[in-house]
Amino acid sequence: LSRFATANPPASKGEAFEKLAQEIFGVPYALSVSSGSAALHSAFVAAGVGPGTEVIVPAIGFFATAASVVVSRGVPIFCDVDESLCIDPTKIEDCITPRTVAIAPTCVMGAVPDMEPILAVARKHGLKVIEDCAQAPGAKYRGRYMGTLGDFGCFSISAYKIVGGGEGGLVLTRDQRLYERACQLVECGGLRRPDRFAPPRYEGELFCGTNYRFSELEAA
């Protein structure tokens, strides 16, 4: 992180971590959070998961993916996996209903989902794609980093992951409004807004949030 110690240094280690993630992954928005589950929860809420909605998740994978849908007050719909143990793209359309708002392809023990057909199905049906990359940070799909192909990329930085920092998480996106909505959940309901006391700038910007901030020690 020495590159940030010169002109215009980050205000915090968390900000330095986010800037480094932006640089490595080539995305305009990176949000450090307290865990991989926090990353998923903030991404699901930002993507519109809530009461009456469904998210398609793989039938095999860590509990946090489905649990974060439930915490967001949505319903996880379990889709079969293929030989990679990742979600089977050919089975996704059978799981889609009028209540479906997102697909959550998940990396399993370093294996990555076949993202091209997954993204094609999502575009066809107007669904958000939230990548759960907790078990494969740095992995690539056809030359592109996992976590940069969908609407959100979510990572875990717990002690036993490939990149460990005690306990933490990371959210990536290319969409400014999705980033702002994720911040709304992570930062106690809008602390990162340019003017935290201003009226809503657009419909859906303001809602109740919590504290999922990444600690300075673990960010360092």
Side-chain angles (χ1 to χ4, degrees):
L1 297 179
S2 60
R3 73 195 73 183
F4 299 121
T6 55
N8 300 316
S12 68
K13 295 299 183 183
E15 184 179 315
F17 177 83
E18 292 169 349
K19 287 182 179 296
L20 187 58
Q22 289 170 323
E23 179 182 306
I24 290 172
F25 288 98
V27 296
Y29 303 103
L31 178 62
S32 57
V33 294
S34 57
S35 69
S37 297
L40 288 164
H41 184 200
S42 61
F44 285 136
V45 171
V49 179
T53 66
E54 297 174 349
V55 178
I56 299 170
V57 302
I60 290 179
F62 186 58
F63 177 65
T65 314
S68 297
V69 175
V70 175
V71 171
S72 305
R73 301 187 179 182
V75 177
I77 302 298
F78 294 98
C79 181
D80 202 357
V81 299
D82 58 24
E83 63 275 6
S84 71
L85 299 184
C86 300
I87 195 167
D88 187 339
T90 67
K91 304 292 178 63
I92 291 175
E93 282 200 283
D94 290 340
C95 298
I96 295 174
T97 75
R99 297 177 294 278
T100 308
V101 297
I103 306 169
T106 301
C107 301
V108 178
M109 294 180 287
V112 302
D114 189 2
M115 292 299 296
E116 187 173 335
I118 295 171
L119 293 168
V121 170
R123 286 192 293 267
K124 177 181 176 182
H125 294 275
L127 306 177
K128 293 287 191 293
V129 175
I130 291 93
E131 300 178 64
D132 181 347
C133 310
Q135 297 184 20
K140 291 184 176 180
Y141 174 84
R142 300 187 179 181
R144 296 178 61 188
Y145 279 116
M146 291 300 296
T148 67
L149 292 94
D151 297 281
F152 279 110
C154 299
F155 297 83
S156 172
I157 312 165
S158 61
Y160 54 91
K161 293 298 195 304
I162 295 172
V163 177
E167 186 65 72
L170 177 69
V171 183
L172 305 178
T173 186
R174 299 181 186 277
D175 187 296
Q176 181 177 348
R177 288 202 173 182
L178 289 179
Y179 168 75
E180 290 170 351
R181 282 177 53 82
C183 288
Q184 180 73 13
L185 185 73
V186 169
E187 288 281 352
C188 294
L191 296 184
R192 286 201 184 194
R193 300 174 73 219
D195 180 354
R196 67 179 65 172
F197 302 113
R201 294 174 292 175
Y202 52 84
E203 184 179 355
E205 183 197 13
L206 299 183
F207 51 87
C208 186
T210 186
N211 178 3
Y212 279 152
R213 284 191 293 271
F214 198 21
S215 81
E216 283 291 276
L217 179 61
E218 289 162 322

